[in-house]
Amino acid sequence: MKIYVKNMVCPRCIMAVETILKTLQIDYKNVSLGEIELNSQPDNSDVTKLSEHLQEIGFEVIDDKKHQLIERIKNYIIQFIHHDKEMLKINLSDFLSEELGYEYNYLSNLFSEVEGTTIEKYVILQKIEKVKELIVYDELSLKEIAHQLGYSSVAYLSNQFKKVTGLTPSHFKTIGQQKRIPLDHL
C-alpha cells in the first residue's frame, strides 16, 4: 500500500517520516519524496495517528488522486533539479510522461488546473531557488551554475533570475540567505 504525503522535499523530510513510522511501529518498505510504501494495509487508527504526526511537522497525507499525481510531479521536479545532476540532461516532459504513465499534455493541464501555474513556471521557480542556494554557497561561478542547471548562457540565467526575484544574481549574492524560499512554499 502507498500513502502519498505533501510537502516532502528533501532527504531530511524522508528521515523525519521514517522516524514517525518507527515511533508508531508502522511496518514500511520504503519512504521516498512524497511517498510511503507500507508492507501491509494499516488499520484506520494507525493511518489517523500517522496523519496527525505528519501534520505536526508540516506534512499532509493526500487522499485525492489528482492531488497525489500533482504531488508526484512536484517531487519528480524537485528530484530532477535539486538532487540529481544527471537528470538535468534528460527531457523533463518525456521523463514525467514515462514515470507517471500519462501524456505530458494531460499532466501539464492537470497541474495548471490544480496549482494555478504551469509545470514550466514551477520548474523555473525551482531552478531559481537552486541558483540562490548555489550563489549563497559561493563555490561555483555563475557560468558554472548556468551550465549545471542547463541554461544556455549566463545572460539567460541572469535575465530569468532577475525576472523571478527582481534582483540580479550579483546583487542577490550581497544580500544572500534572507531571500531564499523553502522548497515546500514554492
Side-chain angles (χ1 to χ4, degrees):
M1 176 190 175
K2 289 187 179 181
I3 296 175
Y4 295 95
V5 182
K6 187 173 184 174
N7 297 330
M8 288 180 67
V9 296
C10 66
R12 283 187 305 284
C13 296
I14 292 170
M15 289 176 11
V17 170
E18 287 175 336
T19 300
I20 290 171
L21 290 166
K22 289 173 186 169
T23 300
L24 296 175
Q25 298 178 342
I26 297 175
D27 192 28
Y28 67 95
K29 185 183 295 184
N30 186 43
V31 178
S32 58
L33 291 180
E35 197 171 284
I36 302 169
E37 189 174 357
L38 301 176
N39 284 323
S40 60
Q41 178 75 32
D43 61 39
N44 286 340
S45 67
D46 284 341
V47 173
T48 301
K49 287 179 197 171
L50 175 61
S51 181
E52 289 169 358
H53 278 78
L54 291 171
Q55 283 181 337
E56 287 174 9
I57 59 171
F59 301 132
E60 181 183 335
V61 173
I62 306 169
D63 295 327
D64 176 77
K65 294 284 185 207
K66 281 184 177 181
H67 285 90
Q68 288 175 0
L69 185 55
I70 296 301
E71 198 62 24
R72 290 179 68 200
I73 292 169
K74 287 180 173 182
N75 288 326
Y76 278 126
I77 291 169
I78 289 168
Q79 180 76 28
F80 197 81
I81 293 168
H82 295 276
H83 303 297
D84 192 345
K85 291 178 189 174
E86 291 302 308
M87 288 181 76
L88 285 170
K89 297 174 184 168
I90 300 169
N91 181 296
L92 179 63
S93 58
D94 292 342
F95 174 78
L96 289 174
S97 293
E98 187 176 313
E99 289 296 315
L100 299 170
Y102 293 96
E103 292 285 327
Y104 182 74
N105 283 341
Y106 171 76
L107 296 173
S108 180
N109 290 335
L110 178 66
F111 193 92
S112 295
E113 172 190 321
V114 173
E115 291 296 312
T117 189
T118 65
I119 289 176
E120 291 76 15
K121 286 181 181 174
Y122 185 76
V123 167
I124 289 168
L125 290 175
Q126 291 296 334
K127 279 186 166 185
I128 295 303
E129 280 310 306
K130 184 66 175 181
V131 170
K132 288 179 184 178
E133 176 185 330
L134 294 171
I135 288 172
V136 169
Y137 289 162
D138 200 23
E139 295 174 355
L140 301 173
S141 69
L142 205 51
K143 183 177 181 179
E144 291 168 320
I145 292 170
H147 177 73
Q148 182 175 320
L149 291 173
Y151 285 95
S152 58
S153 69
V154 172
Y156 182 55
L157 164 62
S158 295
N159 286 337
Q160 197 170 71
F161 191 91
K162 183 161 181 147
K163 185 185 265 186
V164 171
T165 66
L167 306 169
T168 64
S170 57
H171 185 232
F172 176 81
K173 189 174 188 171
T174 64
I175 58 173
Q177 190 68 29
Q178 66 261 33
K179 287 288 188 177
R180 295 209 40 222
I181 302 169
L183 297 181
D184 59 336
H185 289 101
L186 291 176

